Amino acid sequence: MTRRSVSTPAARGSGSQHALRAANVRRIEQALRATGAMTQSALARTTGLSNATVSNLVRVMVDEQLVTTSATTSSGRRAVLVQLAGGSRRKVAVGIDIGRGHLRLVVVTPAREVLADVERTLEPGHRAQDTVAIAAAVLGDVLGDLGIDRADVLGCGVGIPAPIDRHTGRTSHGAVLPEWSGYPLREQLAAGLGVPVEVENDANLGALAELTWGGHGDVTDLVFVKVASGIGAGLIVGGRLHRGRDGKTGEIGHTTILEYGPVCRCGGRGCLEAIASGQAMLALWQASRPTQPATAESLVRHARAGDPTAVRIVEDAGLALGRVLGGVVNLLNPQLVVVSGPVTGAGELLVDSVAAGLSRFTSPVVAGPTRVTTSALKGSAEALGGCALVLRGAGDDAWASVG
Ligand SMILES: [Zn+2]
């Protein structure tokens, strides 16, 4: 398998020099993926590395068959043109989002063009090993339809609604997929899919997708909040995904906001998730109209039409979200809070309520300039974020390679 680009250089030595070299090799690869063939001088400008460093690294990368070089001229002077090995073949990044009831798979090119975006329904309580097999089958079908060889998949970023230990690639105990706790997801997916895999919390991937595809301009600091069966946040700080010590950031769903509130599935009481998650909203909606099916779609539709019960459910959830996000915003001072999930169809009603909660519970100096919006990426955000993870390069040792 030729996925040396993401795994081999770092694995070859443990010293800081090796790690630095691996990081610099990855910067060069990313620049080439984004732009295509470049001269060594252009690579130096793009990556911020010195000409000498680029020249040395390119020599090593030629030896490792990662790139090829050819003579060219630039501004009338002789120059060395560098391109990724096999650069004429179409490379792609794959993103997969696994939820309680769905699997979504997106394929993009390094130029950020979306080639495929498909969704499959999953059985409630689906088991990890079955879902890995489904993911492998869907990937095989999609690559077959696109006529893309598996060897041309740069990597696959996979999101699940649970905290992930980024050192081990195992799922930590999460309330949304409790039966997946401790499963070696990264290794099993890499073996099943036959491509290098990285696993991330889905809200983290949503945050990365907003940075790449969200259309927010030059945003460097944003909070992505996923309001679905659970509530989680992904944090972009200074243009980078903030992962904390071992990747378990943004667990805002289990912030207590009502000391003697409803019992939460995490074992706590009065957690944000027990009050403002999609599931909590639908439970209230169902209780108010016991004879009719309560769906996110019907809640949103009635809220938009001004039904007072539906409006109250969405507004109260938005206020509670805003209150907890207030602490996050006070701490991080982001430019943007992006709210995502099935109920975001309620649009301004939800956004205005979150903003109201923010301004009530946050320093006005901080909350004032923070924009709240819903995600324009809808259900694709997390899977797109998986692609962004691949194209941006993951953590040094985070990839499970297949060979
Ligand atoms: Zn909880």
Side-chain angles (χ1 to χ4, degrees), residues 269-309:
R269 247 188 191 281
C271 296
L272 176 65
E273 194 166 298
I275 288 153
S277 68
Q279 210 154 317
M281 282 187 248
L282 288 185
L284 291 172
W285 183 228
Q286 183 71 78
S288 75
R289 55 207 303 265
T291 57
Q292 295 171 66
T295 62
E297 185 276 328
S298 73
L299 173 62
V300 166
R301 184 160 38 83
H302 282 79
R304 290 177 76 102
D307 176 288
T309 306

PDB file of all heavy atoms in Angstrom, residues 269-309:
ATOM      1  N   ARG A 269     -27.844  15.178  36.256  1.00  0.00           N
ATOM      2  CA  ARG A 269     -29.190  15.736  36.328  1.00  0.00           C
ATOM      3  C   ARG A 269     -29.180  17.135  35.715  1.00  0.00           C
ATOM      4  O   ARG A 269     -28.247  17.898  35.943  1.00  0.00           O
ATOM      5  CB  ARG A 269     -29.601  15.889  37.798  1.00  0.00           C
ATOM      6  CG  ARG A 269     -30.727  14.972  38.225  1.00  0.00           C
ATOM      7  CD  ARG A 269     -31.182  15.354  39.616  1.00  0.00           C
ATOM      8  NE  ARG A 269     -32.078  14.368  40.186  1.00  0.00           N
ATOM      9  CZ  ARG A 269     -33.369  14.279  39.882  1.00  0.00           C
ATOM     10  NH1 ARG A 269     -33.908  15.102  39.010  1.00  0.00           N
ATOM     11  NH2 ARG A 269     -34.108  13.363  40.457  1.00  0.00           N
ATOM     12  N   GLY A 270     -30.225  17.457  34.995  1.00  0.00           N
ATOM     13  CA  GLY A 270     -30.376  18.820  34.493  1.00  0.00           C
ATOM     14  C   GLY A 270     -29.309  19.241  33.511  1.00  0.00           C
ATOM     15  O   GLY A 270     -29.004  20.419  33.364  1.00  0.00           O
ATOM     16  N   CYS A 271     -28.708  18.243  32.794  1.00  0.00           N
ATOM     17  CA  CYS A 271     -27.701  18.577  31.774  1.00  0.00           C
ATOM     18  C   CYS A 271     -28.384  19.347  30.636  1.00  0.00           C
ATOM     19  O   CYS A 271     -29.572  19.146  30.363  1.00  0.00           O
ATOM     20  CB  CYS A 271     -27.097  17.321  31.182  1.00  0.00           C
ATOM     21  SG  CYS A 271     -26.178  16.319  32.330  1.00  0.00           S
ATOM     22  N   LEU A 272     -27.594  20.141  29.936  1.00  0.00           N
ATOM     23  CA  LEU A 272     -28.099  20.841  28.750  1.00  0.00           C
ATOM     24  C   LEU A 272     -28.777  19.863  27.796  1.00  0.00           C
ATOM     25  O   LEU A 272     -29.841  20.140  27.251  1.00  0.00           O
ATOM     26  CB  LEU A 272     -26.939  21.560  28.050  1.00  0.00           C
ATOM     27  CG  LEU A 272     -27.292  22.261  26.738  1.00  0.00           C
ATOM     28  CD1 LEU A 272     -28.254  23.408  26.980  1.00  0.00           C
ATOM     29  CD2 LEU A 272     -26.023  22.763  26.039  1.00  0.00           C
ATOM     30  N   GLU A 273     -28.151  18.694  27.623  1.00  0.00           N
ATOM     31  CA  GLU A 273     -28.666  17.696  26.687  1.00  0.00           C
ATOM     32  C   GLU A 273     -30.053  17.182  27.094  1.00  0.00           C
ATOM     33  O   GLU A 273     -30.872  16.849  26.239  1.00  0.00           O
ATOM     34  CB  GLU A 273     -27.664  16.539  26.628  1.00  0.00           C
ATOM     35  CG  GLU A 273     -27.890  15.599  25.488  1.00  0.00           C
ATOM     36  CD  GLU A 273     -26.688  14.681  25.281  1.00  0.00           C
ATOM     37  OE1 GLU A 273     -25.584  15.187  24.981  1.00  0.00           O
ATOM     38  OE2 GLU A 273     -26.843  13.469  25.427  1.00  0.00           O
ATOM     39  N   ALA A 274     -30.296  17.099  28.414  1.00  0.00           N
ATOM     40  CA  ALA A 274     -31.588  16.599  28.888  1.00  0.00           C
ATOM     41  C   ALA A 274     -32.687  17.639  28.697  1.00  0.00           C
ATOM     42  O   ALA A 274     -33.869  17.343  28.834  1.00  0.00           O
ATOM     43  CB  ALA A 274     -31.482  16.207  30.356  1.00  0.00           C
ATOM     44  N   ILE A 275     -32.285  18.855  28.356  1.00  0.00           N
ATOM     45  CA  ILE A 275     -33.247  19.953  28.242  1.00  0.00           C
ATOM     46  C   ILE A 275     -33.374  20.473  26.813  1.00  0.00           C
ATOM     47  O   ILE A 275     -34.469  20.838  26.375  1.00  0.00           O
ATOM     48  CB  ILE A 275     -32.820  21.088  29.202  1.00  0.00           C
ATOM     49  CG1 ILE A 275     -33.089  20.624  30.641  1.00  0.00           C
ATOM     50  CG2 ILE A 275     -33.529  22.404  28.913  1.00  0.00           C
ATOM     51  CD1 ILE A 275     -32.218  21.252  31.652  1.00  0.00           C
ATOM     52  N   ALA A 276     -32.258  20.482  26.073  1.00  0.00           N
ATOM     53  CA  ALA A 276     -32.271  21.184  24.785  1.00  0.00           C
ATOM     54  C   ALA A 276     -31.861  20.329  23.595  1.00  0.00           C
ATOM     55  O   ALA A 276     -31.767  20.846  22.481  1.00  0.00           O
ATOM     56  CB  ALA A 276     -31.350  22.412  24.867  1.00  0.00           C
ATOM     57  N   SER A 277     -31.608  19.032  23.781  1.00  0.00           N
ATOM     58  CA  SER A 277     -31.237  18.194  22.616  1.00  0.00           C
ATOM     59  C   SER A 277     -32.467  18.001  21.732  1.00  0.00           C
ATOM     60  O   SER A 277     -33.611  18.254  22.155  1.00  0.00           O
ATOM     61  CB  SER A 277     -30.727  16.826  23.082  1.00  0.00           C
ATOM     62  OG  SER A 277     -31.784  16.095  23.658  1.00  0.00           O
ATOM     63  N   GLY A 278     -32.223  17.515  20.522  1.00  0.00           N
ATOM     64  CA  GLY A 278     -33.340  17.226  19.631  1.00  0.00           C
ATOM     65  C   GLY A 278     -34.312  16.251  20.288  1.00  0.00           C
ATOM     66  O   GLY A 278     -35.532  16.409  20.199  1.00  0.00           O
ATOM     67  N   GLN A 279     -33.748  15.256  20.961  1.00  0.00           N
ATOM     68  CA  GLN A 279     -34.573  14.251  21.618  1.00  0.00           C
ATOM     69  C   GLN A 279     -35.428  14.867  22.734  1.00  0.00           C
ATOM     70  O   GLN A 279     -36.603  14.530  22.887  1.00  0.00           O
ATOM     71  CB  GLN A 279     -33.666  13.180  22.213  1.00  0.00           C
ATOM     72  CG  GLN A 279     -34.296  11.828  22.272  1.00  0.00           C
ATOM     73  CD  GLN A 279     -33.211  10.741  22.247  1.00  0.00           C
ATOM     74  OE1 GLN A 279     -32.251  10.822  21.483  1.00  0.00           O
ATOM     75  NE2 GLN A 279     -33.365   9.750  23.098  1.00  0.00           N
ATOM     76  N   ALA A 280     -34.813  15.781  23.504  1.00  0.00           N
ATOM     77  CA  ALA A 280     -35.559  16.426  24.598  1.00  0.00           C
ATOM     78  C   ALA A 280     -36.683  17.290  24.031  1.00  0.00           C
ATOM     79  O   ALA A 280     -37.808  17.311  24.552  1.00  0.00           O
ATOM     80  CB  ALA A 280     -34.600  17.272  25.439  1.00  0.00           C
ATOM     81  N   MET A 281     -36.386  17.988  22.927  1.00  0.00           N
ATOM     82  CA  MET A 281     -37.420  18.830  22.305  1.00  0.00           C
ATOM     83  C   MET A 281     -38.566  17.975  21.786  1.00  0.00           C
ATOM     84  O   MET A 281     -39.740  18.308  21.955  1.00  0.00           O
ATOM     85  CB  MET A 281     -36.814  19.644  21.151  1.00  0.00           C
ATOM     86  CG  MET A 281     -36.031  20.851  21.597  1.00  0.00           C
ATOM     87  SD  MET A 281     -35.540  21.848  20.151  1.00  0.00           S
ATOM     88  CE  MET A 281     -33.792  21.600  20.160  1.00  0.00           C
ATOM     89  N   LEU A 282     -38.208  16.848  21.149  1.00  0.00           N
ATOM     90  CA  LEU A 282     -39.251  15.988  20.586  1.00  0.00           C
ATOM     91  C   LEU A 282     -40.088  15.330  21.683  1.00  0.00           C
ATOM     92  O   LEU A 282     -41.299  15.110  21.508  1.00  0.00           O
ATOM     93  CB  LEU A 282     -38.639  14.914  19.681  1.00  0.00           C
ATOM     94  CG  LEU A 282     -38.088  15.418  18.350  1.00  0.00           C
ATOM     95  CD1 LEU A 282     -37.621  14.268  17.484  1.00  0.00           C
ATOM     96  CD2 LEU A 282     -39.145  16.248  17.594  1.00  0.00           C
ATOM     97  N   ALA A 283     -39.478  15.049  22.837  1.00  0.00           N
ATOM     98  CA  ALA A 283     -40.242  14.470  23.955  1.00  0.00           C
ATOM     99  C   ALA A 283     -41.303  15.467  24.421  1.00  0.00           C
ATOM    100  O   ALA A 283     -42.465  15.094  24.679  1.00  0.00           O
ATOM    101  CB  ALA A 283     -39.293  14.108  25.090  1.00  0.00           C
ATOM    102  N   LEU A 284     -40.934  16.738  24.499  1.00  0.00           N
ATOM    103  CA  LEU A 284     -41.905  17.773  24.899  1.00  0.00           C
ATOM    104  C   LEU A 284     -42.988  17.935  23.829  1.00  0.00           C
ATOM    105  O   LEU A 284     -44.176  18.088  24.123  1.00  0.00           O
ATOM    106  CB  LEU A 284     -41.191  19.113  25.111  1.00  0.00           C
ATOM    107  CG  LEU A 284     -40.256  19.198  26.312  1.00  0.00           C
ATOM    108  CD1 LEU A 284     -39.465  20.503  26.298  1.00  0.00           C
ATOM    109  CD2 LEU A 284     -41.065  19.094  27.610  1.00  0.00           C
ATOM    110  N   TRP A 285     -42.552  17.899  22.589  1.00  0.00           N
ATOM    111  CA  TRP A 285     -43.486  18.063  21.460  1.00  0.00           C
ATOM    112  C   TRP A 285     -44.485  16.900  21.447  1.00  0.00           C
ATOM    113  O   TRP A 285     -45.679  17.102  21.270  1.00  0.00           O
ATOM    114  CB  TRP A 285     -42.678  18.142  20.168  1.00  0.00           C
ATOM    115  CG  TRP A 285     -43.424  18.388  18.889  1.00  0.00           C
ATOM    116  CD1 TRP A 285     -43.279  17.697  17.731  1.00  0.00           C
ATOM    117  CD2 TRP A 285     -44.393  19.407  18.609  1.00  0.00           C
ATOM    118  NE1 TRP A 285     -44.085  18.211  16.751  1.00  0.00           N
ATOM    119  CE2 TRP A 285     -44.782  19.268  17.278  1.00  0.00           C
ATOM    120  CE3 TRP A 285     -44.966  20.427  19.379  1.00  0.00           C
ATOM    121  CZ2 TRP A 285     -45.724  20.099  16.669  1.00  0.00           C
ATOM    122  CZ3 TRP A 285     -45.912  21.263  18.776  1.00  0.00           C
ATOM    123  CH2 TRP A 285     -46.280  21.093  17.449  1.00  0.00           C
ATOM    124  N   GLN A 286     -43.984  15.684  21.688  1.00  0.00           N
ATOM    125  CA  GLN A 286     -44.844  14.504  21.716  1.00  0.00           C
ATOM    126  C   GLN A 286     -45.852  14.599  22.869  1.00  0.00           C
ATOM    127  O   GLN A 286     -47.034  14.296  22.702  1.00  0.00           O
ATOM    128  CB  GLN A 286     -43.989  13.232  21.878  1.00  0.00           C
ATOM    129  CG  GLN A 286     -44.793  11.940  21.851  1.00  0.00           C
ATOM    130  CD  GLN A 286     -45.328  11.623  20.456  1.00  0.00           C
ATOM    131  OE1 GLN A 286     -44.602  11.154  19.596  1.00  0.00           O
ATOM    132  NE2 GLN A 286     -46.594  11.892  20.230  1.00  0.00           N
ATOM    133  N   ALA A 287     -45.366  15.059  24.030  1.00  0.00           N
ATOM    134  CA  ALA A 287     -46.254  15.153  25.198  1.00  0.00           C
ATOM    135  C   ALA A 287     -47.388  16.143  24.950  1.00  0.00           C
ATOM    136  O   ALA A 287     -48.488  15.998  25.497  1.00  0.00           O
ATOM    137  CB  ALA A 287     -45.442  15.568  26.422  1.00  0.00           C
ATOM    138  N   SER A 288     -47.124  17.145  24.104  1.00  0.00           N
ATOM    139  CA  SER A 288     -48.145  18.170  23.864  1.00  0.00           C
ATOM    140  C   SER A 288     -49.180  17.713  22.829  1.00  0.00           C
ATOM    141  O   SER A 288     -50.227  18.344  22.683  1.00  0.00           O
ATOM    142  CB  SER A 288     -47.478  19.473  23.395  1.00  0.00           C
ATOM    143  OG  SER A 288     -47.060  19.343  22.045  1.00  0.00           O
ATOM    144  N   ARG A 289     -48.889  16.694  22.082  1.00  0.00           N
ATOM    145  CA  ARG A 289     -49.824  16.182  21.061  1.00  0.00           C
ATOM    146  C   ARG A 289     -49.690  14.665  20.978  1.00  0.00           C
ATOM    147  O   ARG A 289     -49.184  14.117  19.977  1.00  0.00           O
ATOM    148  CB  ARG A 289     -49.577  16.866  19.707  1.00  0.00           C
ATOM    149  CG  ARG A 289     -48.144  16.738  19.243  1.00  0.00           C
ATOM    150  CD  ARG A 289     -47.672  17.834  18.329  1.00  0.00           C
ATOM    151  NE  ARG A 289     -48.411  18.052  17.128  1.00  0.00           N
ATOM    152  CZ  ARG A 289     -48.152  17.551  15.916  1.00  0.00           C
ATOM    153  NH1 ARG A 289     -47.158  16.708  15.774  1.00  0.00           N
ATOM    154  NH2 ARG A 289     -48.863  17.877  14.866  1.00  0.00           N
ATOM    155  N   PRO A 290     -50.162  13.967  22.033  1.00  0.00           N
ATOM    156  CA  PRO A 290     -49.893  12.541  22.173  1.00  0.00           C
ATOM    157  C   PRO A 290     -50.439  11.674  21.053  1.00  0.00           C
ATOM    158  O   PRO A 290     -49.951  10.566  20.833  1.00  0.00           O
ATOM    159  CB  PRO A 290     -50.545  12.179  23.514  1.00  0.00           C
ATOM    160  CG  PRO A 290     -51.312  13.372  23.963  1.00  0.00           C
ATOM    161  CD  PRO A 290     -50.918  14.539  23.134  1.00  0.00           C
ATOM    162  N   THR A 291     -51.419  12.147  20.320  1.00  0.00           N
ATOM    163  CA  THR A 291     -52.024  11.269  19.314  1.00  0.00           C
ATOM    164  C   THR A 291     -51.336  11.363  17.951  1.00  0.00           C
ATOM    165  O   THR A 291     -51.663  10.620  17.034  1.00  0.00           O
ATOM    166  CB  THR A 291     -53.514  11.624  19.113  1.00  0.00           C
ATOM    167  OG1 THR A 291     -53.597  12.999  18.737  1.00  0.00           O
ATOM    168  CG2 THR A 291     -54.310  11.369  20.386  1.00  0.00           C
ATOM    169  N   GLN A 292     -50.394  12.276  17.813  1.00  0.00           N
ATOM    170  CA  GLN A 292     -49.758  12.434  16.502  1.00  0.00           C
ATOM    171  C   GLN A 292     -48.263  12.169  16.594  1.00  0.00           C
ATOM    172  O   GLN A 292     -47.656  12.414  17.644  1.00  0.00           O
ATOM    173  CB  GLN A 292     -49.977  13.865  15.991  1.00  0.00           C
ATOM    174  CG  GLN A 292     -51.451  14.157  15.736  1.00  0.00           C
ATOM    175  CD  GLN A 292     -51.671  15.632  15.458  1.00  0.00           C
ATOM    176  OE1 GLN A 292     -51.200  16.116  14.459  1.00  0.00           O
ATOM    177  NE2 GLN A 292     -52.375  16.305  16.353  1.00  0.00           N
ATOM    178  N   PRO A 293     -47.646  11.685  15.506  1.00  0.00           N
ATOM    179  CA  PRO A 293     -46.202  11.434  15.558  1.00  0.00           C
ATOM    180  C   PRO A 293     -45.430  12.749  15.692  1.00  0.00           C
ATOM    181  O   PRO A 293     -45.755  13.733  15.026  1.00  0.00           O
ATOM    182  CB  PRO A 293     -45.910  10.762  14.211  1.00  0.00           C
ATOM    183  CG  PRO A 293     -47.070  11.093  13.332  1.00  0.00           C
ATOM    184  CD  PRO A 293     -48.255  11.330  14.219  1.00  0.00           C
ATOM    185  N   ALA A 294     -44.468  12.761  16.600  1.00  0.00           N
ATOM    186  CA  ALA A 294     -43.666  13.975  16.812  1.00  0.00           C
ATOM    187  C   ALA A 294     -42.337  13.807  16.089  1.00  0.00           C
ATOM    188  O   ALA A 294     -41.521  12.967  16.449  1.00  0.00           O
ATOM    189  CB  ALA A 294     -43.441  14.185  18.306  1.00  0.00           C
ATOM    190  N   THR A 295     -42.141  14.584  15.051  1.00  0.00           N
ATOM    191  CA  THR A 295     -40.871  14.533  14.314  1.00  0.00           C
ATOM    192  C   THR A 295     -40.242  15.923  14.330  1.00  0.00           C
ATOM    193  O   THR A 295     -40.925  16.927  14.586  1.00  0.00           O
ATOM    194  CB  THR A 295     -41.098  14.134  12.843  1.00  0.00           C
ATOM    195  OG1 THR A 295     -41.930  15.148  12.231  1.00  0.00           O
ATOM    196  CG2 THR A 295     -41.789  12.790  12.727  1.00  0.00           C
ATOM    197  N   ALA A 296     -38.929  15.965  14.043  1.00  0.00           N
ATOM    198  CA  ALA A 296     -38.247  17.264  13.970  1.00  0.00           C
ATOM    199  C   ALA A 296     -38.913  18.123  12.903  1.00  0.00           C
ATOM    200  O   ALA A 296     -39.107  19.332  13.086  1.00  0.00           O
ATOM    201  CB  ALA A 296     -36.772  17.051  13.650  1.00  0.00           C
ATOM    202  N   GLU A 297     -39.296  17.483  11.817  1.00  0.00           N
ATOM    203  CA  GLU A 297     -39.917  18.219  10.706  1.00  0.00           C
ATOM    204  C   GLU A 297     -41.223  18.883  11.164  1.00  0.00           C
ATOM    205  O   GLU A 297     -41.475  20.060  10.875  1.00  0.00           O
ATOM    206  CB  GLU A 297     -40.148  17.234   9.544  1.00  0.00           C
ATOM    207  CG  GLU A 297     -40.672  17.839   8.271  1.00  0.00           C
ATOM    208  CD  GLU A 297     -42.190  17.991   8.282  1.00  0.00           C
ATOM    209  OE1 GLU A 297     -42.872  17.147   8.909  1.00  0.00           O
ATOM    210  OE2 GLU A 297     -42.686  18.992   7.712  1.00  0.00           O
ATOM    211  N   SER A 298     -42.063  18.126  11.916  1.00  0.00           N
ATOM    212  CA  SER A 298     -43.349  18.718  12.325  1.00  0.00           C
ATOM    213  C   SER A 298     -43.136  19.808  13.376  1.00  0.00           C
ATOM    214  O   SER A 298     -43.826  20.827  13.370  1.00  0.00           O
ATOM    215  CB  SER A 298     -44.311  17.631  12.835  1.00  0.00           C
ATOM    216  OG  SER A 298     -43.931  17.159  14.108  1.00  0.00           O
ATOM    217  N   LEU A 299     -42.154  19.595  14.266  1.00  0.00           N
ATOM    218  CA  LEU A 299     -41.868  20.630  15.271  1.00  0.00           C
ATOM    219  C   LEU A 299     -41.430  21.929  14.586  1.00  0.00           C
ATOM    220  O   LEU A 299     -41.926  23.022  14.890  1.00  0.00           O
ATOM    221  CB  LEU A 299     -40.774  20.138  16.233  1.00  0.00           C
ATOM    222  CG  LEU A 299     -40.248  21.158  17.229  1.00  0.00           C
ATOM    223  CD1 LEU A 299     -41.353  21.644  18.174  1.00  0.00           C
ATOM    224  CD2 LEU A 299     -39.085  20.582  18.051  1.00  0.00           C
ATOM    225  N   VAL A 300     -40.517  21.782  13.625  1.00  0.00           N
ATOM    226  CA  VAL A 300     -40.004  22.954  12.904  1.00  0.00           C
ATOM    227  C   VAL A 300     -41.134  23.642  12.130  1.00  0.00           C
ATOM    228  O   VAL A 300     -41.283  24.872  12.163  1.00  0.00           O
ATOM    229  CB  VAL A 300     -38.855  22.526  11.953  1.00  0.00           C
ATOM    230  CG1 VAL A 300     -38.532  23.628  10.960  1.00  0.00           C
ATOM    231  CG2 VAL A 300     -37.628  22.140  12.752  1.00  0.00           C
ATOM    232  N   ARG A 301     -41.938  22.832  11.459  1.00  0.00           N
ATOM    233  CA  ARG A 301     -43.022  23.397  10.640  1.00  0.00           C
ATOM    234  C   ARG A 301     -43.998  24.185  11.522  1.00  0.00           C
ATOM    235  O   ARG A 301     -44.378  25.315  11.193  1.00  0.00           O
ATOM    236  CB  ARG A 301     -43.733  22.254   9.898  1.00  0.00           C
ATOM    237  CG  ARG A 301     -44.814  22.699   8.930  1.00  0.00           C
ATOM    238  CD  ARG A 301     -45.117  21.608   7.912  1.00  0.00           C
ATOM    239  NE  ARG A 301     -45.090  20.254   8.446  1.00  0.00           N
ATOM    240  CZ  ARG A 301     -46.099  19.665   9.088  1.00  0.00           C
ATOM    241  NH1 ARG A 301     -47.228  20.334   9.296  1.00  0.00           N
ATOM    242  NH2 ARG A 301     -45.991  18.431   9.546  1.00  0.00           N
ATOM    243  N   HIS A 302     -44.387  23.603  12.654  1.00  0.00           N
ATOM    244  CA  HIS A 302     -45.331  24.291  13.530  1.00  0.00           C
ATOM    245  C   HIS A 302     -44.696  25.522  14.178  1.00  0.00           C
ATOM    246  O   HIS A 302     -45.354  26.537  14.374  1.00  0.00           O
ATOM    247  CB  HIS A 302     -45.861  23.332  14.606  1.00  0.00           C
ATOM    248  CG  HIS A 302     -46.930  22.399  14.096  1.00  0.00           C
ATOM    249  ND1 HIS A 302     -46.641  21.262  13.364  1.00  0.00           N
ATOM    250  CD2 HIS A 302     -48.279  22.454  14.185  1.00  0.00           C
ATOM    251  CE1 HIS A 302     -47.769  20.651  13.039  1.00  0.00           C
ATOM    252  NE2 HIS A 302     -48.782  21.356  13.517  1.00  0.00           N
ATOM    253  N   ALA A 303     -43.426  25.425  14.518  1.00  0.00           N
ATOM    254  CA  ALA A 303     -42.753  26.585  15.124  1.00  0.00           C
ATOM    255  C   ALA A 303     -42.718  27.744  14.132  1.00  0.00           C
ATOM    256  O   ALA A 303     -42.985  28.894  14.483  1.00  0.00           O
ATOM    257  CB  ALA A 303     -41.338  26.202  15.556  1.00  0.00           C
ATOM    258  N   ARG A 304     -42.414  27.427  12.887  1.00  0.00           N
ATOM    259  CA  ARG A 304     -42.363  28.483  11.861  1.00  0.00           C
ATOM    260  C   ARG A 304     -43.738  29.089  11.614  1.00  0.00           C
ATOM    261  O   ARG A 304     -43.854  30.262  11.254  1.00  0.00           O
ATOM    262  CB  ARG A 304     -41.792  27.924  10.557  1.00  0.00           C
ATOM    263  CG  ARG A 304     -40.318  27.607  10.658  1.00  0.00           C
ATOM    264  CD  ARG A 304     -39.815  26.996   9.369  1.00  0.00           C
ATOM    265  NE  ARG A 304     -39.650  28.021   8.351  1.00  0.00           N
ATOM    266  CZ  ARG A 304     -38.483  28.544   8.005  1.00  0.00           C
ATOM    267  NH1 ARG A 304     -37.382  28.111   8.581  1.00  0.00           N
ATOM    268  NH2 ARG A 304     -38.403  29.462   7.084  1.00  0.00           N
ATOM    269  N   ALA A 305     -44.781  28.264  11.811  1.00  0.00           N
ATOM    270  CA  ALA A 305     -46.142  28.770  11.602  1.00  0.00           C
ATOM    271  C   ALA A 305     -46.668  29.510  12.833  1.00  0.00           C
ATOM    272  O   ALA A 305     -47.802  30.009  12.815  1.00  0.00           O
ATOM    273  CB  ALA A 305     -47.066  27.606  11.247  1.00  0.00           C
ATOM    274  N   GLY A 306     -45.875  29.556  13.899  1.00  0.00           N
ATOM    275  CA  GLY A 306     -46.264  30.333  15.078  1.00  0.00           C
ATOM    276  C   GLY A 306     -47.052  29.554  16.121  1.00  0.00           C
ATOM    277  O   GLY A 306     -47.587  30.155  17.067  1.00  0.00           O
ATOM    278  N   ASP A 307     -47.113  28.222  16.008  1.00  0.00           N
ATOM    279  CA  ASP A 307     -47.785  27.420  17.037  1.00  0.00           C
ATOM    280  C   ASP A 307     -47.103  27.707  18.391  1.00  0.00           C
ATOM    281  O   ASP A 307     -45.900  27.520  18.536  1.00  0.00           O
ATOM    282  CB  ASP A 307     -47.644  25.930  16.678  1.00  0.00           C
ATOM    283  CG  ASP A 307     -48.224  25.028  17.740  1.00  0.00           C
ATOM    284  OD1 ASP A 307     -47.615  24.908  18.836  1.00  0.00           O
ATOM    285  OD2 ASP A 307     -49.277  24.439  17.483  1.00  0.00           O
ATOM    286  N   PRO A 308     -47.878  28.198  19.393  1.00  0.00           N
ATOM    287  CA  PRO A 308     -47.232  28.664  20.625  1.00  0.00           C
ATOM    288  C   PRO A 308     -46.446  27.580  21.360  1.00  0.00           C
ATOM    289  O   PRO A 308     -45.380  27.866  21.926  1.00  0.00           O
ATOM    290  CB  PRO A 308     -48.396  29.187  21.484  1.00  0.00           C
ATOM    291  CG  PRO A 308     -49.653  28.804  20.791  1.00  0.00           C
ATOM    292  CD  PRO A 308     -49.329  28.410  19.392  1.00  0.00           C
ATOM    293  N   THR A 309     -46.919  26.329  21.347  1.00  0.00           N
ATOM    294  CA  THR A 309     -46.183  25.262  22.046  1.00  0.00           C
ATOM    295  C   THR A 309     -44.866  24.979  21.336  1.00  0.00           C
ATOM    296  O   THR A 309     -43.805  24.885  21.962  1.00  0.00           O
ATOM    297  CB  THR A 309     -47.027  23.966  22.092  1.00  0.00           C
ATOM    298  OG1 THR A 309     -48.293  24.279  22.666  1.00  0.00           O
ATOM    299  CG2 THR A 309     -46.338  22.900  22.926  1.00  0.00           C
TER     300      THR A 309
END
